[in-house]
Amino acid sequence: MKKLLNIFGTVLLCFVFAFGLAACSNRPATAPEGGWQNPSDDSDRPTYEDANVLVVYFSVPDNQSNSYVEMDGERLGNTQYMAYVIQENTGANIWRILPTTPYPTDHAALLQVAQEERRNNARPEIDGAIENFDSYDVVFVGYPNWNADLPNILYTFFDTYDFSGKTIVPFNTHGGSGFSGTRQTIARLEPNATMLEGLSISKNSIERAEREIIDWIDEIGLLKQN
């Protein structure tokens, strides 16, 4: 009898341990202190009627067919397309993050460069600068998910500009990893900014995502009124 109880206790302990691991693996990523600001009803919806809005994005359309969107004969990177939809429906100014040394458009070569930058903790130089950055109240910041992180040039960007007192609205495109931990990273890099939860769209659905993007802009109170 004692032996049977010991066996039962061992099995029960293993079950509890396995269940605990499963529960831990399904926990959501930790949000910044205070949580993401993403109102779910009209009573809490922020108003940005007088806000000066900017859309900033980084995008590299490589030669893989699902890394770009064809629009009016022009090849747009996935994140670039998303930025254009946001700009058109907010009336914001728009600025593209361009490296001084262009990235390759061959997918394998681009992947190699991105991995090398990550290993070296590189800070690629940005070509040009945003005029009157201090005048903007709300800044959309868009980027692809590279190796479950921000592209290294985004670290350069956040090192360059002070977002204190501004509202950051992140958006990204991905191949299955969503935002990963990039929102937490932005919150750490810009601790004196407010950040909305943002929107992440798979590269497999970006061509059909215009309505989703517009509805999201409306939800956060930044849809341009005609």
Side-chain angles (χ1 to χ4, degrees):
M1 181 67 177
K2 187 174 183 180
K3 185 175 181 181
L4 288 174
L5 287 175
N6 287 337
I7 293 172
F8 176 77
T10 301
V11 171
L12 179 62
L13 181 61
C14 290
F15 175 80
V16 171
F17 181 70
F19 180 81
L21 284 178
C24 289
S25 66
N26 289 321
R27 289 176 183 169
T30 303
E33 186 176 349
W36 307 117
Q37 296 196 17
N38 193 19
S40 57
D41 58 67
D42 290 341
S43 63
D44 293 329
R45 180 180 296 188
T47 56
Y48 296 102
E49 292 179 4
D50 299 321
N52 197 13
V53 183
L54 176 67
V55 177
V56 177
Y57 72 95
F58 169 69
S59 184
V60 181
D62 62 36
N63 59 7
Q64 277 202 343
S65 61
N66 60 1
S67 79
Y68 61 86
V69 177
E70 293 279 358
M71 175 183 281
D72 299 327
E74 182 182 3
R75 178 178 290 188
L76 305 178
N78 291 335
T79 309
Q80 182 179 23
Y81 171 74
M82 199 171 173
Y84 279 18
V85 175
I86 294 170
Q87 189 277 329
E88 181 179 0
N89 289 277
T90 59
N93 291 330
I94 192 166
W95 194 80
R96 183 176 183 177
I97 299 172
L98 289 171
T100 301
T101 302
Y103 285 95
T105 56
D106 176 74
H107 181 76
L110 177 61
L111 182 63
Q112 184 176 357
V113 169
Q115 291 174 341
E116 185 176 348
E117 286 183 349
R118 185 59 33 78
R119 285 193 298 269
N120 297 329
N121 197 26
R123 295 292 183 269
E125 185 178 350
I126 294 174
D127 185 21
I130 300 171
E131 294 184 5
N132 303 316
F133 180 76
D134 290 343
S135 69
Y136 291 102
D137 308 297
V138 178
V139 184
F140 287 84
V141 180
Y143 51 90
N145 184 324
W146 278 9
N147 301 309
D149 201 347
L150 295 170
N152 277 54
I153 198 167
L154 265 293
Y155 285 93
T156 307
F157 174 71
F158 285 114
D159 287 346
T160 303
Y161 295 96
D162 181 9
F163 282 78
S164 297
K166 300 185 187 299
T167 296
I168 300 173
V169 189
F171 64 96
N172 92 331
T173 54
H174 63 90
S177 300
F179 274 118
S180 295
T182 57
R183 292 173 299 177
Q184 290 88 341
T185 299
I186 294 171
R188 175 175 55 81
L189 295 173
E190 300 294 344
N192 297 316
T194 298
M195 188 163 66
L196 304 192
E197 184 174 1
L199 181 65
S200 181
I201 297 180
S202 168
K203 64 183 181 181
N204 297 319
S205 60
I206 186 66
E207 289 185 287
R208 306 180 299 279
E210 182 178 12
R211 185 72 258 167
E212 180 182 357
I213 298 168
I214 294 172
D215 288 346
W216 164 66
I217 295 169
D218 187 26
E219 181 183 339
I220 62 177
L222 282 160
L223 186 66
K224 178 177 63 177
Q225 301 301 317
N226 296 324

